[in-house]
């Protein structure tokens, strides 16, 4: 029963990480640690029962959340850098 709870928790954390990535602002930075915790919980769930589909879904959503948060953070940082320099490099 604990394994299923870990799988559900990892899925919730993965979905939360994706939501943080698309919400913008400083929540994007919050999505990365949430996704990492989701991966850790999903790995615990999959170690206990390798065929757990909910744990696997939690792992996938957590990875997607981390990737989206990273891409959006890098893009926002690049845009801010361009705005600060006054478009001098264009």
């Amino acid at each position: 029963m604990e394994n299923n709870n870990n799988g559900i928790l990892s899925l919730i954390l993965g979905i939360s990480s994706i939501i943080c990535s698309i919400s913008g602002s400083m929540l994007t930075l919050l999505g990365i640690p949430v996704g990492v915790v989701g991966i850790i919980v999903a790995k615990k769930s999959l170690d206990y029962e390798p065929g757990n589909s909910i744990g696997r879904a939690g792992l996938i959503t957590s990875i997607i959340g981390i990737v989206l948060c990273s891409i959006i953070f890098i893009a926002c940082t690049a845009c801010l850098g361009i705005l600060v320099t006054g478009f001098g490099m264009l």
Side-chain angles (χ1 to χ4, degrees):
M1 191 66 166
E2 178 187 345
N3 179 30
N4 198 16
N5 290 339
N6 282 341
I8 292 170
L9 179 61
S10 68
L11 186 60
I12 290 170
L13 289 170
I15 292 171
S16 299
S17 178
I18 292 172
I19 290 171
C20 286
S21 72
I22 61 174
S23 66
S25 71
M26 295 304 286
L27 285 178
T28 303
L29 289 176
L30 180 66
I32 295 173
V34 169
V36 170
V37 172
I39 288 175
I40 292 170
V41 173
K43 291 300 278 180
K44 281 179 145 180
S45 175
L46 291 173
D47 286 344
Y48 185 72
E49 184 182 344
N52 186 3
S53 60
I54 296 176
R56 188 175 313 271
L59 179 66
I60 292 169
T61 54
S62 295
I63 291 171
I64 290 171
I66 289 174
V67 169
L68 283 176
C69 285
S70 300
I71 290 171
I72 292 172
F73 178 73
I74 291 170
C76 288
T77 303
C79 287
L80 184 63
I82 290 172
L83 287 175
V84 168
T85 59
F87 299 99
M89 301 181 90
L90 297 176

